[in-house]
């Protein structure tokens, strides 16, 4: 299985809602990543987990809260988001910081 | 520190003609270099990678890239464009070490348009 899956594909939420994005991989990769991508821009790194521990936080606002329950799963909990947080959220995984494999993304709209 | 410059924000070709997408990089360490493709509203797909083995790298869908250390370039080519190649392409650098280990640096992207 060489796939990274993400759910949901689309999410619309209000500024007071709490929601979660989910990412899963079964390639045995020990590094997992969250990226945010705005239209016509490259992805921006948000968080890196290595061996289920948070290793990089790119100064992301606390309204985004990552979680890595096990080596295959990565969640991104969302709370009190702003309209400017609307974007495509991409998950990726890699083995020992080699090439990263990306999921299809979750298109998030904050109203 | 590392950086990536994609020299063209848009490239337009006719179907069946060659494709050239240009990328220059800088890195404090011997880098790994990648090209990714992104179709509209999709994730990124790895096309090919350079990791200090052969300087001419072959990827999927007929793409290839040549690593030229003296020119700090990693241009992406394809002999004959197909309509399905229309997408956005990202040149990406990953350092082999240092404090940025594991952090990818993306170019700004090149949008490839293929005309019938």
């Amino acid at each position: 299985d060489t796939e990274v899956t993400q759910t949901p594909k689309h999410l619309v939420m209000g500024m007071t809602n709490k929601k979660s994005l989910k990412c899963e991989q079964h390639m045995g990769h020990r590094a997992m990543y969250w990226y945010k991508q705005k239209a016509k821009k490259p992805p921006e790194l948000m968080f890196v987990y290595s061996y289920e521990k948070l290793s990089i936080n790119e100064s992301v606002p606390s309204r985004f809260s990552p979680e890595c329950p096990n080596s295959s799963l990565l969640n991104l909990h969302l709370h009190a988001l702003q309209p400017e947080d609307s974007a495509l959220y991409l998950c990726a995984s890699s083995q020992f910081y080699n090439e990263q494999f990306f999921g299809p993304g979750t298109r998030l709209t904050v109203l | 520190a590392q950086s990536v410059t994609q020299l063209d924000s848009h490239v337009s070709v006719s179907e069946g003609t060659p494709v050239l997408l240009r990328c220059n990089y800088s890195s404090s360490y011997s880098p790994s270099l990648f090209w990714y493709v992104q179709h509209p509203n999709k994730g990124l797909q790895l096309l090919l990678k350079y990791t200090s083995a052969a300087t001419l790298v072959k990827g999927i869908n007929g793409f290839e890239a040549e690593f030229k250390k003296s020119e700090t370039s990693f241009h992406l080519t394809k002999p004959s464009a197909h309509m399905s190649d229309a997408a956005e392409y990202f040149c990406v650098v990953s350092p082999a070490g240092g404090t940025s280990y594991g952090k990818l640096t993306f170019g700004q992207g090149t949008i490839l348009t293929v005309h019938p």
Side-chain angles (χ1 to χ4, degrees):
Chain A
D1 186 354
T2 58
E3 210 178 41
V4 176
T5 59
Q6 289 187 244
T7 54
K9 288 186 179 178
H10 301 275
L11 178 62
V12 179
M13 59 187 291
M15 288 190 285
T16 58
N17 291 157
K18 287 186 181 180
K19 297 286 184 184
S20 297
L21 309 185
K22 181 180 172 182
C23 173
E24 195 165 4
Q25 58 90 12
H26 294 287
M27 294 178 276
H29 291 169
R30 303 314 297 267
M32 295 186 75
Y33 311 78
W34 279 116
Y35 289 86
K36 173 183 177 180
Q37 187 179 27
K38 301 286 273 186
K40 302 189 187 305
K41 295 288 187 183
E44 298 173 18
L45 182 66
M46 299 175 73
F47 302 104
V48 181
Y49 273 83
S50 176
Y51 290 86
E52 296 141 60
K53 287 187 168 47
L54 183 65
S55 60
I56 295 176
N57 177 340
E58 292 287 273
S59 302
V60 178
S62 59
R63 57 185 184 270
F64 295 91
S65 175
E67 179 197 18
C68 190
N70 59 55
S71 61
S72 301
L73 278 176
L74 187 66
N75 298 321
L76 186 63
H77 303 298
L78 313 172
H79 174 54
L81 294 193
Q82 304 296 310
E84 59 264 30
D85 297 323
S86 298
L88 181 67
Y89 287 83
L90 294 163
C91 174
S93 70
S94 70
Q95 184 69 313
F96 306 131
Y97 295 136
N98 288 330
E99 66 270 25
Q100 294 181 21
F101 294 86
F102 285 81
T106 294
R107 175 69 62 187
L108 174 67
T109 302
V110 182
L111 301 176
Chain B
Q2 54 191 16
S3 66
V4 180
T5 302
Q6 291 184 240
L7 297 166
D8 307 289
S9 58
H10 290 82
V11 169
S12 182
V13 300
S14 297
E15 192 175 20
T17 63
V19 175
L20 170 63
L21 305 183
R22 299 181 295 164
C23 172
N24 286 350
Y25 71 93
S26 69
S27 178
S28 303
Y29 298 88
S30 296
S32 294
L33 293 158
F34 310 94
W35 277 99
Y36 284 86
V37 60
Q38 186 176 31
H39 288 90
N41 295 310
K42 301 288 186 185
L44 279 72
Q45 181 184 18
L46 180 67
L47 278 179
L48 50 79
K49 65 177 181 178
Y50 166 78
T51 54
S52 76
T55 56
L56 184 61
V57 181
K58 293 189 185 300
I60 62 171
N61 301 335
F63 284 95
E64 63 181 39
E66 186 171 7
F67 174 72
K68 291 187 176 180
K69 187 174 181 179
S70 60
E71 299 176 11
T72 60
S73 69
F74 190 57
H75 301 334
L76 182 70
T77 60
K78 182 173 180 177
S80 176
H82 193 272
M83 295 297 291
S84 60
D85 295 328
E88 187 160 21
Y89 292 78
F90 292 99
C91 181
V92 180
V93 173
S94 175
T99 57
S100 298
Y101 197 42
K103 290 176 66 170
L104 302 183
T105 298
F106 288 80
Q108 288 301 303
T110 298
I111 295 173
L112 176 65
T113 302
V114 182
H115 298 287

